[in-house]
Amino acid sequence: MGADYIPPFLRQHLQRNRALPEQILLLTVIADDVPEVAPERQLVVSGLLPGVSRIYVHHGLMQHPDVPKALAQGREQPGLGMDPDDV
């Protein structure tokens, strides 16, 4: 899946409602082929369009993905301004 991939749910939402939320976060969890991923490399955020961001959560093969923790780290990313409890 590339950066141009649109999740089917988002496409259906747009077709049915003809509107999108103010902020869209596309979340992908990736198991890297290493035992552990350093904490500073576990979260990668890229802005695709104004109000649309792609978030990658990386974890190693010996780690369990902790999405709520990763989203809490995302709160500190410039431009996201999200509340993890509201995602």
Side-chain angles (χ1 to χ4, degrees):
M1 282 184 277
D4 58 346
Y5 173 76
I6 299 173
F9 176 78
L10 183 59
R11 186 183 329 235
Q12 291 171 355
H13 179 81
L14 179 59
Q15 289 172 343
R16 290 184 183 166
N17 298 310
R18 304 223 191 285
L20 291 174
E22 185 176 317
Q23 185 177 28
I24 298 172
L25 304 174
L26 304 172
L27 175 68
T28 303
V29 179
I30 300 171
D32 290 337
D33 196 20
V34 296
E36 292 188 15
V37 175
E40 63 274 6
R41 296 187 54 232
Q42 289 179 359
L43 185 73
V44 177
V45 178
S46 62
L48 302 176
L49 296 167
V52 181
S53 299
R54 181 171 294 283
I55 301 173
Y56 295 98
V57 177
H58 293 265
H59 64 92
L61 299 173
M62 300 296 292
Q63 296 172 304
H64 294 284
D66 189 344
V67 174
K69 181 180 175 183
L71 291 176
Q73 291 174 338
R75 180 185 342 198
E76 301 163 5
Q77 296 286 329
L80 278 184
M82 64 164 182
D83 179 3
D85 295 329
D86 194 31
V87 175

